[in-house]
Amino acid sequence: MRKNYIIFNNFNTMDYFLIEDLQEVPTAEEKVDFIEIDGRDGYLTQSQDALKPIDYEVQLNLYSKDDIQKVKNTFRGSGKLILSNDKNKFYNARVVNTITFKRASFQYYTCVVCFKLQPYAYEVQSKTITIDATQTTKQYTFKNSTNTTCEPTITLEGTGNCILTIGTKQINITDIQNSITLNFAMQEAYKGTANMNTHVSGEFPKLKVGNTTIKWNGSGVTKIIINPNYRWQ
């Protein structure tokens, strides 16, 4: 029989607590405004192009009263949450309840931990893609096999100027000195801790499900490293 467990901020419950029932994480709900108009049946909808956070609960069964302090020490604040029923992905999560403990028997106690999850799950073991930017074709087909868009981090190594084309969107990059990183989730450009936004213009698009062609020009760029940041709803 498979033993359920969760890992929160690198703490694995397997050796300490019993989890009898570990639910699947529901799909995040879309943020939608419902608009009712006088004289018209029903309603209209307007999407905010965003998802709501997910409420998720886990009941822990404690083997002894001594484990109460361990729960208090572990389940607080924010961190990465991995579930044994989908152990190759993690959620960014926050504990949002005051945890209370109930005596289940003379020795055992139970408690419920309430998490608020960000709406996407991410790969636990993220794989980077390294491209030789000196190749003749100067293009690469990026494959997104998840069920939603992704927001990669792309690092260009080399010198000089470059036009990076993601699908139909162009990003103009000037005066690259050894490297520059484009963070699509943050919509920021940097080199180490140095802000490089003044060297970049253009839109950082989300990469759709399926194939996206990435092209570049600029003879000084020698390598492109992509961290896809694949995610799932």
Side-chain angles (χ1 to χ4, degrees), residues 147-202:
N147 65 353
T148 189
T149 58
C150 66
E151 298 173 312
T153 299
I154 300 180
T155 298
L156 289 80
E157 295 186 358
T159 58
N161 302 332
C162 178
I163 298 176
L164 183 68
T165 304
I166 311 290
T168 60
K169 305 294 184 181
Q170 281 193 352
I171 303 172
N172 295 284
I173 309 166
T174 60
D175 194 23
I176 302 170
Q177 297 183 13
N178 298 319
S179 71
I180 187 171
T181 297
L182 312 178
N183 188 314
F184 282 51
M186 296 173 61
Q187 297 286 298
E188 297 282 348
Y190 48 81
K191 177 184 177 183
T193 59
N195 188 302
M196 300 292 286
N197 287 336
T198 58
H199 293 255
V200 178
S201 63

Side-chain angles (χ1 to χ4, degrees), residues 113-176:
V113 182
C114 298
F115 294 98
K116 192 169 286 290
L117 311 182
Q118 296 287 7
Y120 296 104
Y122 295 87
E123 286 184 311
V124 171
Q125 297 291 337
S126 181
K127 304 175 185 67
T128 59
I129 301 165
T130 301
I131 304 167
D132 177 5
T134 64
Q135 60 180 282
T136 305
T137 57
K138 293 191 180 298
Q139 72 175 47
Y140 175 82
T141 301
F142 179 89
K143 298 179 180 180
N144 179 2
S145 301
T146 71
N147 65 353
T148 189
T149 58
C150 66
E151 298 173 312
T153 299
I154 300 180
T155 298
L156 289 80
E157 295 186 358
T159 58
N161 302 332
C162 178
I163 298 176
L164 183 68
T165 304
I166 311 290
T168 60
K169 305 294 184 181
Q170 281 193 352
I171 303 172
N172 295 284
I173 309 166
T174 60
D175 194 23
I176 302 170

Side-chain angles (χ1 to χ4, degrees), residues 23-192:
Q23 297 293 318
E24 297 291 335
V25 177
T27 301
E29 183 181 348
E30 184 183 2
K31 292 182 179 180
V32 176
D33 295 323
F34 292 89
I35 305 167
E36 296 185 13
I37 299 177
D38 292 342
R40 293 191 59 167
D41 295 330
Y43 55 82
L44 302 176
T45 60
Q46 182 175 336
S47 174
Q48 298 181 27
D49 195 26
L51 301 175
K52 295 181 180 179
I54 302 167
D55 293 321
Y56 187 76
E57 295 183 356
V58 178
Q59 179 172 309
L60 304 177
N61 298 302
L62 285 60
Y63 295 116
S64 73
K65 188 175 181 179
D66 295 338
D67 290 331
I68 290 177
Q69 191 59 51
K70 191 181 299 294
V71 172
K72 291 181 178 180
N73 293 343
T74 301
F75 294 100
R76 58 172 66 182
S78 301
K80 292 182 178 180
L81 176 67
I82 301 171
L83 311 174
S84 62
N85 55 15
D86 197 7
K87 59 187 178 182
N88 294 321
K89 302 183 183 74
F90 73 88
Y91 288 88
N92 291 309
R94 185 174 185 86
V95 178
V96 293
N97 67 318
T98 299
I99 301 173
T100 58
F101 301 87
K102 296 181 179 179
R103 186 190 293 273
S105 66
F106 175 75
Q107 184 176 3
Y108 297 104
Y109 290 78
T110 66
C111 68
V112 174
V113 182
C114 298
F115 294 98
K116 192 169 286 290
L117 311 182
Q118 296 287 7
Y120 296 104
Y122 295 87
E123 286 184 311
V124 171
Q125 297 291 337
S126 181
K127 304 175 185 67
T128 59
I129 301 165
T130 301
I131 304 167
D132 177 5
T134 64
Q135 60 180 282
T136 305
T137 57
K138 293 191 180 298
Q139 72 175 47
Y140 175 82
T141 301
F142 179 89
K143 298 179 180 180
N144 179 2
S145 301
T146 71
N147 65 353
T148 189
T149 58
C150 66
E151 298 173 312
T153 299
I154 300 180
T155 298
L156 289 80
E157 295 186 358
T159 58
N161 302 332
C162 178
I163 298 176
L164 183 68
T165 304
I166 311 290
T168 60
K169 305 294 184 181
Q170 281 193 352
I171 303 172
N172 295 284
I173 309 166
T174 60
D175 194 23
I176 302 170
Q177 297 183 13
N178 298 319
S179 71
I180 187 171
T181 297
L182 312 178
N183 188 314
F184 282 51
M186 296 173 61
Q187 297 286 298
E188 297 282 348
Y190 48 81
K191 177 184 177 183

Side-chain angles (χ1 to χ4, degrees), residues 2-20:
R2 184 182 68 181
K3 187 174 182 180
N4 296 320
Y5 64 88
I6 65 174
I7 301 173
F8 183 63
N9 279 336
N10 297 319
F11 178 88
N12 192 327
T13 63
M14 180 180 289
D15 297 328
Y16 299 96
F17 314 123
L18 175 65
I19 300 175
E20 294 180 353

